[in-house]
Amino acid sequence: MAKTLLRNVRIFDGSTPQLSPSRSILLDGGTIQAILPTDAVDAVDTIIDLDGRTLIPGLIDAHFHAYASDFDFVKLEKLPPTYLAQRGRHLMEDALKRGFTTVRDVGGGDYGLWRALEEGWIIGPRLFYCGRAFSQSGGHGDIRAPHEDDALCGCAGKGILAERVDGADAIRKAAREALRKGAHHLKIFVSGGIASPSDPIWMLQFSEEEIAAVVDEARRRRVYVAAHAYTPETIVRAVRLGVRTIEHGNLIDRETAAAMADAGAFLVPTLVTYDAFRRSGVQEGAPQHLLDKLDDVSTQGVVAIRHCRAAGVKIGFGTDLLGPLHRHQRDEFRLRHEGGENAFEILHSATAVNAEILGMEGLLGAIAPGAYADFLVIDGDPLSDLSLLYEDSQAIHSVWKAGEKIA
Ligand code: ZN
Ligand code: ZN
């Protein structure tokens, strides 16, 4: 393997609240072999001087949809899969160039996309996928209008981002099929949502029996269940039944945060998706039912995070952007910071905590011997000025994945 020495760089390792003094990092192919004093010499193929810049772990987006190339889910379902695959390829490539070297897809992303990335046919972040998310009929993943039966397709409710599943036996079967296809986690909708036409936010989706069945299937395969949920009632029930990550969680109150901490569940907030809709959803042609539902949850997201911080809930970092709004991906940093979290807390969420969600502690979201050589080089210190990572910042000097400079 080619060895590279990156000299004269200060490090944020994903978990320590301060930058290291100036160091050198020795890369052996796609992994970090050692962290050395800055004047260390080693027999290497390439030496690169980083001129005192900062190096941080590659960012991880724990709530991503590679196939969400449109925010109108009805329109999305009518597009051919070959077209969606090409659009997905570009969404992935753009995410990588923004500094996200890993994404967790929570609805849509699948084996085919993963394999094309792994084999190097396309470039993009490392992908952790679940295939289609599971929705009950009339739930968040059911995109039929009230007057439609199976009008969209005859394939038993299988869609692009989600599939309809009803009954404990049916969800077990769907889980087993997803796991057979290599799913890294399973995703269910347990409350209503924004981008769906007929379910109120407060709705308790799936029966307890159905949630328990999917959790059981995941656990026996040593993976876990992620659940889309907004309201306290839906979240408390989900974590009691063994759901491990709560997606969005905007309406979490003090008691709900305590229940999540007790259960060891993670919160994955996605503040930017609401903000991006507010800023550009109208111009971009977002459907009105979606904009109407937005106000129900958007302002509460930062309050939910505060309750979770106070209760000791582990908080990850996600975006949940759809269609043209993907370009706002890095603005999640701004919204979290404006919501009151400090730069370290947010960077920790987007690196080490997200790596823990993925079961990749020490390998991703970390700058340490043995970790994958996925990192960003930044002009300046993001621990003292997080705006270096905001949407419009030009401070990202370079993006590296598996020891190679991508952008
Ligand atoms: Zn969701
Ligand atoms: Zn989502």
Side-chain angles (χ1 to χ4, degrees), residues 5-134:
L5 191 69
L6 303 174
R7 294 189 67 251
N8 191 16
V9 67
R10 301 183 71 196
I11 300 166
F12 167 62
D13 66 6
S15 300
T16 308
Q18 300 88 29
L19 294 189
S20 74
S22 185
R23 290 281 185 260
S24 287
I25 300 184
L26 180 60
L27 308 182
D28 183 7
T31 57
I32 296 171
Q33 185 180 329
I35 296 172
L36 305 165
T38 202
D39 53 358
V41 284
D42 208 295
V44 296
D45 302 288
T46 314
I47 296 178
I48 298 170
D49 198 303
L50 292 175
D51 298 318
R53 293 188 177 90
T54 306
L55 188 143
I56 71 171
L59 304 172
I60 302 173
D61 187 341
H63 194 120
F64 190 82
H65 296 285
Y67 294 143
S69 51
D70 200 294
F71 40 58
D72 186 336
F73 289 172
V74 176
K75 198 166 138 198
L76 201 62
E77 295 293 337
K78 291 174 180 162
L79 294 166
T82 44
Y83 171 85
L84 288 169
Q86 297 299 328
R87 293 291 305 274
R89 173 196 158 182
H90 282 278
L91 291 180
M92 291 288 278
E93 192 173 324
D94 290 347
L96 180 61
K97 287 176 180 165
R98 274 181 221 114
F100 291 89
T101 54
T102 298
V103 296
R104 183 179 68 141
D105 191 300
V106 284
D110 59 1
Y111 172 77
L113 184 63
W114 175 84
R115 181 164 165 177
L117 284 160
E118 290 293 308
E119 292 181 353
W121 299 113
I122 63 177
I123 71 153
R126 294 176 198 273
L127 175 67
F128 290 76
Y129 65 91
C130 61
R132 286 181 286 258
F134 304 145

Side-chain angles (χ1 to χ4, degrees), residues 63-65 73 106-107 140 161 187 189 228 247-248 270 319-322:
H63 194 120
F64 190 82
H65 296 285
F73 289 172
V106 284
H140 178 49
L161 304 183
K187 163 81 178 297
F189 301 112
H228 155 112
E247 309 297 312
H248 320 302
T270 61
T319 60
D320 197 26
L321 291 163
L322 309 172

